[in-house]
Amino acid sequence: MALSDLLYPDNPKRRQELIHLHQELLDCMSTNVRATNELAGVLNEHLGCTITHIQMRASSTVKENCDIIIQAMNEIQHQVQKIDSDMKEKLEPVLYQKLYDIKEPELEKIAIAQKVFSIVLGEATSTAGMVAIKLLSSNFITLTVSKLVSLLAQIGASVLGGISITILSLGIEMILHAILGAVERNQLLAAVRSYEKHLSEFKAASEKYQRAIREVSSLVRQQVQ
């Protein structure tokens, strides 16, 4: 038995917690990658965007994979901001304001957006207008994506960022060595708490992000049926 285990008998339990939390973090990141690609596909197909699909890199660290997701989310933010700019440029101020007026009927907003996309893209279906309105009139970009990007940046900058995402295929001691690095074994509790804090916030923000994307995708599927 390691000396640290004699001095800190809860260490074996904390090791298992740490491994479990790491797997949860990777699962959550992977789900966000799939959701991001789903939204990118909708934007590319219906709004004329050219957002590249992403994938996690098994040979890279948590931080490097966070950066991949952040880059894709930043591109989505940029595209939605461009849509807003197009609306503002092509529409009369009164019509532009209607897009953000919660009292205005949804169908009228979609019709307004569709006219703009018909000009910008040469042609556009009602699906394009619907997707645009869903993204512009909700807090999807201003809150959901921005929050998730911030949390991904925090995770990447933390002690978790330098960990390879493939360590789970290794033995327990190798996993612990990779996770803790320069962190002393008697700091396992601090490492566990760090994971718990980041993961709790990350999972909550991810669920909102994924739910918002499912709503957009569901509307698109209903529209094309």
Side-chain angles (χ1 to χ4, degrees):
M1 180 180 291
L3 177 60
S4 59
D5 290 352
L6 290 173
L7 296 173
Y8 304 94
D10 286 340
N11 270 3
K13 177 183 176 182
R14 289 170 187 163
R15 287 192 181 98
Q16 293 301 323
E17 286 182 53
L18 206 52
I19 295 166
H20 175 72
L21 289 168
H22 185 69
Q23 181 63 68
E24 278 197 76
L25 174 64
L26 298 188
D27 289 345
C28 197
M29 289 175 65
S30 181
T31 303
N32 282 330
V33 166
R34 289 194 296 271
T36 300
N37 286 337
E38 184 177 346
L39 180 59
V42 170
L43 294 176
N44 291 346
E45 181 177 356
H46 298 286
L47 302 185
C49 300
T50 55
I51 302 171
T52 303
H53 283 205
I54 59 174
Q55 61 181 7
M56 291 181 69
R57 296 175 182 169
S59 60
S60 299
T61 63
V62 169
K63 181 185 184 306
E64 289 166 340
N65 279 282
C66 284
D67 289 343
I68 290 171
I69 302 172
I70 288 172
Q71 184 176 358
M73 289 181 173
N74 283 340
E75 178 61 20
I76 288 171
Q77 285 181 308
H78 172 74
Q79 292 296 337
V80 174
Q81 288 164 0
K82 183 178 182 301
I83 291 168
D84 177 71
S85 297
D86 288 339
M87 296 291 174
K88 194 170 187 177
E89 178 185 346
K90 305 293 183 184
L91 292 171
E92 294 291 331
V94 174
L95 289 178
Y96 176 75
Q97 291 300 323
K98 281 188 175 183
L99 297 179
Y100 293 93
D101 189 342
I102 60 174
K103 296 179 182 178
E104 289 294 327
E106 189 84 354
L107 289 177
E108 184 172 344
K109 293 180 183 181
I110 292 173
I112 293 171
Q114 184 181 347
K115 289 179 182 178
V116 173
F117 277 105
S118 295
I119 297 171
V120 174
L121 300 177
E123 60 176 346
T125 65
S126 58
T127 302
M130 180 197 65
V131 171
I133 293 303
K134 182 66 178 176
L135 295 178
L136 292 175
S137 62
S138 70
N139 63 1
F140 175 74
I141 290 299
T142 55
L143 295 179
T144 312
V145 175
S146 297
K147 176 66 173 177
L148 203 49
V149 165
S150 174
L151 288 172
L152 282 164
Q154 289 176 35
I155 291 171
S158 73
V159 68
L160 316 181
I163 303 166
S164 170
I165 69 168
T166 58
I167 64 168
L168 290 172
S169 62
L170 306 175
I172 288 180
E173 287 304 316
M174 289 295 291
I175 291 172
L176 290 170
H177 177 74
I179 290 177
L180 296 175
V183 179
E184 295 293 332
R185 294 298 175 94
N186 61 6
Q187 291 181 286
L188 265 172
L189 180 58
V192 168
R193 293 294 173 261
S194 176
Y195 251 107
E196 287 178 336
K197 177 182 180 297
H198 284 95
L199 187 59
S200 176
E201 295 181 25
F202 185 53
K203 286 174 70 175
S206 296
E207 286 169 4
K208 291 181 180 179
Y209 175 70
Q210 293 157 19
R211 183 166 59 247
I213 292 175
R214 285 196 298 270
E215 289 176 4
V216 173
S217 298
S218 178
L219 287 173
V220 169
R221 284 194 294 270
Q222 292 172 18
Q223 191 74 19
V224 298
Q225 285 178 352

